[in-house]
Amino acid sequence: MKWIIGLLSLWVSVTAIAFPVVLEHKYGTLTVDNQPLRIVSVGHVDHDDILSFGVKPLAIRDWYGSQPYGVWPWAQAQLGDAKPILLEPRILDYEAIAALKPDLIIGVSSAINKKEYQKLNAIAPTLAPPAKYEDWTIPWHVRHLIIGKALGFSALAKQHVTSLQEKLAKTKAQHPEFHNKTAAVAFYYNKQPGAYATKDLRSQFLIDLGFIIPSEIDQIAGDAFYASFSEERLDILNNDMVVWLASKETIENASTAVFRTRMPFYKNKKEYFTGDVVGGAFSFFSYLSIQYLLDEMVPELAEVTAQ
């Protein structure tokens, strides 16, 4: 009987919802007086966090990838049979959002400007990005805690974060072969190669696993979260590991192909290609997608490292 009471107490501690909640963001303060029931997600990846709390948004802002309702494989079980409206990725459709009569609009990962925020906030209370972080660099756990609090699931959000941080630490300990190896998260865009700086969430994942991002990438990036460079400077990627945010076919057909075959990382077979789905999980970098990365990406990184 005691264990039943204990489980009930744990359930109450996780699901208890205390309102109002107050959240600061870059354009002011949001007060949520009651549990929001009609949620619209305008952040590019916020719906992953929303779904992880068992909440199904009325609408989701699409990002890329042509996934059903904008939801990728790692979150489709949480979506279930819900069919949210899919909003345009580039332009905020204020009329469509207003027609849904939301009681909360979540845009933590939206990078909205003040004018866009004001228009959204005129429709319904809007959660804008936090002031402390640059666009696209909000840590996954910060985003998860903010959204959890707005929805009334602060305790559950903290449990999620603690559990996943422990899993990340355990994974790092299980792979000493990653420790202190240099790595770059590379991309090829508009006929130009590049790599992500340490402030980027994808690079942060490699750092969490024990890899080191070379300082040269940060120096080239400056204040940006990525560095672009000429094909002739592909030597910048000469590290113990190159993680291409692309398929192998894409990189082999890129204009950098000739330069790439001359590089030590190519000759030593120290390349990993994310492909579409793992690349999506890498870019979303959410509470749900990180677990997918640990299952799908880490074992393959270990294979490349072992070569």
Side-chain angles (χ1 to χ4, degrees), residues 55-78:
V55 178
K56 299 178 182 182
L58 298 172
I60 288 172
R61 187 178 184 179
D62 198 11
W63 186 12
Y64 77 99
S66 300
Q67 297 294 321
Y69 304 103
V71 177
W72 288 64
W74 54 83
Q76 285 172 2
Q78 285 75 12

Side-chain angles (χ1 to χ4, degrees), residues 130-188:
K132 185 178 177 180
Y133 302 95
E134 299 173 30
D135 292 341
W136 320 121
T137 65
I138 304 167
W140 70 269
H141 64 281
V142 172
R143 184 176 68 238
H144 196 71
L145 291 171
I146 290 172
I147 293 174
K149 183 176 180 181
L151 296 175
F153 294 101
S154 284
L156 182 56
K158 291 175 182 177
Q159 286 195 13
H160 282 172
V161 168
T162 298
S163 175
L164 186 49
Q165 287 177 334
E166 289 175 351
K167 192 171 183 180
L168 283 164
K170 182 178 179 180
T171 301
K172 179 180 179 180
Q174 290 173 336
H175 291 280
E177 69 271 24
F178 296 160
H179 297 188
N180 298 320
K181 296 289 179 64
T182 58
V185 182
F187 60 84
Y188 181 78

Side-chain angles (χ1 to χ4, degrees), residues 70 92 110 121 151 210 216 224 229 234 252 281 286 304:
L92 287 167
S110 64
N121 201 50
L151 296 175
E216 185 178 11
F229 38 84
L234 214 61
E252 288 183 340
S286 67
V304 175

